[in-house]
Every structure is written in C-alpha cells, then in structure tokens.
Amino acid sequence: MKVRSPFKIIIFLFLIALIIFLMAFFPRPCQLHAQEESSKPLTFFGEMYTEAAASVLDPLDNDVFEYSGVTSLKLNAIAGDLQNAKIDVSVIFKLLYGESAKKIDSGLLDNRNDYSQTFITENNGVAMVAEVRKLYLSVFTEYMDISLGRMIINYGRGTIFSPIDLFASVDIVDIDFGRIGTDAARIMIPLGPVSGIDIITTLTPTVNEFTTGARGFGNINGWDFGISAFRDAKNIADDWALDFGFDFKGDLLVGVYGEFLLTIPWENGSALTNNTVCSIMGGIDYSISGLWFFDLEYMINTGSTYYRSATFRGDHNLFASVSHKLNDATM
C-alpha cells in the first residue's frame, strides 16, 4: 500500500478558505464607491456523480476483461461580477476503482509535469485523489482582462485529440476526459464581440520552464478560428520548442473542426529543423434531437517521436463515441 502526505491538500484547502473569507467579508477596492450596485454575493454549489466503463481487449482471452470507474464530488465557489473582478474556485475529490485506481497506485502518472491531482490514499484496490481544478482571481478593466492562478485554458476544438492544447491536458483517468487546470497568468485583450488576443504564461519554478506566447481568435462568416504562437517548455524533454498553431470550427450539416500544430525543437540556441514535428487533427460531431451525440476524431503525427508534445503521440490516432442523454440530469 502506498500512502503520501496529505499536506498538499491541507494547504490547498487553506488557501481556498482564506480567499473565500476575504471575498465574503471585505469589499474589493474597485467597488467601494458603488458596493450596493455592483457587489455580488459569494455563491457555493456543487455536484456528485458516478461513472463506470468496462472493456474486453480480446474476446478469446478470459484475462483481458477490464473495468474502470470513478465517484466524484465537485465543490465550487464563485464571487464577483464581469464589471470589476471575480474569483472562481473548483475542487474535486475522486474515489477511483478498477483500472483508474491502478494507474494512480502504480505511479504511472507521478512523473507527469502537467498532472495536478494529489494522491491521498489507496486501500483494497480503491484510490482517493483530490484536485484543485480552478483557483484564480480575474480583474476586468476597460482595455483588458487579467487573470492569475490555476485555471482551465482550453484552446482545443477536439473532444480528446487536441495538439494545440498546450495548457489544458486531458485527464486520462476521468472517463469523460475532462481538462486539467494550469497555473498561469493571463491577459485577454478584446478586439470585438467575438475576437481578441490572449496572452498567457505558465507559473513555474524557473524561467526556463515557462510556456508562454499568444493566440489571436475571431469569427468569419460563422466559422470560429484561432492562430497561436508559443514558446513551449512544458512537455519538451530537453530545452524548449517553438509552436505555431491554427484551429477552426464551423457547421456543414454536421459540426466540422480541426487543428494544426508545427513544433520546432530548440536546443543550445539553435533550431533542430530536422526534428520538426507536425500534428494534424480533424473531427466531426452531430446530435439528434439533443438526445443522441456522435463524435469522430482522427489525428496524425509526423516527425520525431522524441519531440512530440501532445498527450497522444502515436503516428495515427482514432477516437469515436456515441452517447445518449437519458434525461436532464444526465450528460
């Protein structure tokens, strides 16, 4: 049995409690002149849900049946408004069993720099973890929005394959493939109702570990698109890389979306152009009466396997899903 110190969880919960206390009992400086008109109360809400899955890798082999499941308790708090400032907090406690528990207990995810869940305990094949998914402060000004803390920065269009998602990694333990929060500083500069520039840098122990850059986004004739350029040090084994990306999404009877990422490794002041990586993802989605949902995605990676930065690094990757909404309480 493997047991780790719960001090990280205690520190996280203490910070959450401190921020909630300050927001609840002390007015924000920018709102002192109009507290009655613009202040918003602190709101708590949450949800609890259970997911399970089973699979058979080889029908002729009796030893390849696998099952996986998670019972999750999500607690959220939010305060403020979109005129001055707000805080957003989301904490998730998960009870994992089956293959999900084995991945945690075996240490498979221990060395992932982008994995933010903290292991609490394991007993009889069931593991418990906790994750601070969101804990950030946003300040809204006339010309830009500034955010600092742990947040979910999800640029990608795909359900699971998303090469341009350098920040919001897929949580492979979750059956619904949720995104993992990232510690970052973010500046959003609006250029119109549906366009703007997003400038981001991660918060890491040293400057050399920063992933930083910008993304421009907009809409043309009903099609959303984004263009990005980043210095990527998050998933690169040695030194860093330059990433140039493009993404889009629109409708052609069915939803159509795609992403392109060009990664150029950079070591000792020189570009390793011979090791350039290219990742291309395309997908479609469709729904029937808001009850049936269909997703199909394909991603191809070319170039050096060593320098691929996406979660899924195979040459060819395929994902398909069909889901049904039973009632308003599901999905």
Coordinates of all heavy atoms in Angstrom, one line a residue, residues 38 46 67 70 155 256 264 290:
S38 N -23.0 47.0 -7.4 CA -22.2 46.1 -8.2 C -21.7 44.9 -7.5 O -21.3 43.9 -8.1 CB -21.0 46.8 -8.9 OG -20.2 47.3 -7.9
G46 N -22.3 22.7 -6.2 CA -21.5 21.5 -6.4 C -22.4 20.4 -7.0 O -23.6 20.5 -7.2
Y67 N -12.3 -3.2 -16.1 CA -13.4 -2.2 -15.7 C -12.7 -1.0 -15.0 O -11.6 -1.1 -14.5 CB -14.4 -2.8 -14.8 CG -14.0 -3.0 -13.3 CD1 -14.3 -2.0 -12.4 CD2 -13.2 -4.1 -12.9 CE1 -13.9 -2.2 -11.1 CE2 -12.8 -4.2 -11.6 CZ -13.2 -3.2 -10.7 OH -12.7 -3.4 -9.4
V70 N -15.2 5.9 -11.4 CA -14.9 7.0 -10.5 C -16.1 7.6 -9.9 O -17.1 7.7 -10.7 CB -14.1 8.1 -11.3 CG1 -14.8 8.6 -12.5 CG2 -13.7 9.2 -10.3
Y155 N -7.9 25.8 -25.5 CA -8.0 26.3 -26.8 C -8.5 25.3 -27.8 O -9.0 25.6 -28.9 CB -6.6 26.7 -27.3 CG -6.0 27.9 -26.6 CD1 -4.6 28.1 -26.5 CD2 -6.9 28.9 -26.1 CE1 -4.1 29.3 -25.9 CE2 -6.4 30.1 -25.5 CZ -5.0 30.2 -25.4 OH -4.5 31.3 -24.8
V256 N -17.9 20.6 -38.0 CA -16.6 20.3 -38.5 C -15.6 21.1 -37.8 O -15.7 22.3 -37.6 CB -16.5 20.6 -40.0 CG1 -15.2 20.2 -40.6 CG2 -17.6 19.8 -40.8
I264 N 8.9 23.1 -33.5 CA 10.3 23.2 -33.9 C 11.1 23.1 -32.7 O 11.2 24.1 -31.9 CB 10.6 24.4 -34.7 CG1 9.7 24.6 -35.9 CG2 12.1 24.4 -35.2 CD1 9.9 25.9 -36.7
G290 N -31.0 16.6 -29.7 CA -30.5 16.8 -28.4 C -30.4 15.7 -27.4 O -30.2 15.8 -26.2

